[in-house]
Amino acid sequence: LSVFCQPDNLFLEISYYVFILIRNGRKIIPKLLNHEANQFSWPLLVSHIYNNVGIAFLYNSLPSTAIDYFEKGLDYARNDGRLVQNLALKINIAIAKCYMYEKTEEKDLKTLLRQTIDAMRNNLQFIGARYVMNIIAIAFWQNPKFGQELIDTPEVISLVNHSMIFAPFGLEQL
């Protein structure tokens, strides 16, 4: 994800694999987030910035720091217009917890699954299928029976099948 910020003409490429972001991210992120941007879309980018920085920390074996960034991103993804980003952040928190051998409550995973299916049943089915498969992978890691229960849900089967029909080029991501 690349983000262009008009103030100071600051260009920041947030890359999952670049250690420079991790080393300099703590200095750059506050600078990005403290600017009053003149662009109407700037507040919408804040949750994406926190999400991607969190992923960078996760990919660099720093899951607790990643969770801190994911949780900060949630503050900017709480309203209805930010539901997809809200779900992404919550799923990434659950993934980071797995990394630290911490479990997410089954009821919380079921709720997250239901929210994902309801939000993406008619739109963004491929993204929804990716999110659902992440939730199912977490469930299988925690309890194979629970994972099987989730994957056998008719709504899950329907969402995944529809995503394969309408986005066949993205199948390797599932």
Side-chain angles (χ1 to χ4, degrees), residues 112-124:
L112 197 51
L113 180 70
R114 173 61 44 216
Q115 289 173 330
T116 302
I117 291 169
D118 289 348
M120 299 182 191
R121 181 176 314 216
N122 298 317
N123 293 324
L124 304 171

Side-chain angles (χ1 to χ4, degrees), residues 13-174:
E13 183 171 313
I14 299 175
S15 170
Y16 301 154
Y17 303 104
V18 179
F19 184 75
I20 292 169
L21 174 65
I22 300 302
R23 191 173 49 215
N24 296 327
R26 289 186 178 111
K27 296 176 192 169
I28 294 171
I29 298 305
K31 187 173 183 178
L32 277 172
L33 298 175
N34 288 330
H35 283 295
E36 289 191 30
N38 295 324
Q39 302 169 1
F40 79 95
S41 63
W42 180 247
L44 301 178
L45 293 175
V46 175
S47 62
H48 287 282
I49 292 169
Y50 278 122
N51 187 49
N52 286 291
V53 172
I55 291 170
F57 278 106
L58 186 59
Y59 280 177
N60 281 277
S61 302
L62 298 165
S64 62
T65 304
I67 289 173
D68 292 341
Y69 278 89
F70 296 144
E71 288 175 345
K72 287 176 187 175
L74 280 173
D75 292 337
Y76 297 92
R78 294 221 185 268
N79 64 35
D80 291 338
R82 306 299 301 142
L83 183 59
V84 173
Q85 189 63 26
N86 182 284
L87 293 169
L89 288 157
K90 288 177 180 176
I91 292 166
N92 285 340
I93 289 169
I95 291 168
K97 284 183 174 183
C98 283
Y99 190 97
M100 298 185 306
Y101 297 98
E102 293 179 12
K103 291 186 176 184
T104 301
E105 294 290 326
E106 287 186 9
K107 68 176 181 57
D108 294 336
L109 287 176
K110 282 183 177 180
T111 300
L112 197 51
L113 180 70
R114 173 61 44 216
Q115 289 173 330
T116 302
I117 291 169
D118 289 348
M120 299 182 191
R121 181 176 314 216
N122 298 317
N123 293 324
L124 304 171
Q125 291 175 339
F126 181 72
I127 293 172
R130 286 178 53 205
Y131 288 7
V132 163
M133 296 311 287
N134 281 329
I135 295 165
I136 289 170
I138 293 164
F140 267 108
W141 173 78
Q142 291 185 182
N143 177 348
K145 279 183 160 180
F146 178 54
Q148 191 64 51
E149 174 189 329
L150 294 185
I151 205 164
D152 288 340
T153 305
E155 294 90 355
V156 168
I157 294 167
S158 175
L159 181 65
V160 172
N161 283 339
H162 278 93
S163 74
M164 289 180 190
I165 292 168
F166 295 110
F169 296 111
L171 290 177
E172 75 278 353
Q173 293 183 17
L174 293 178

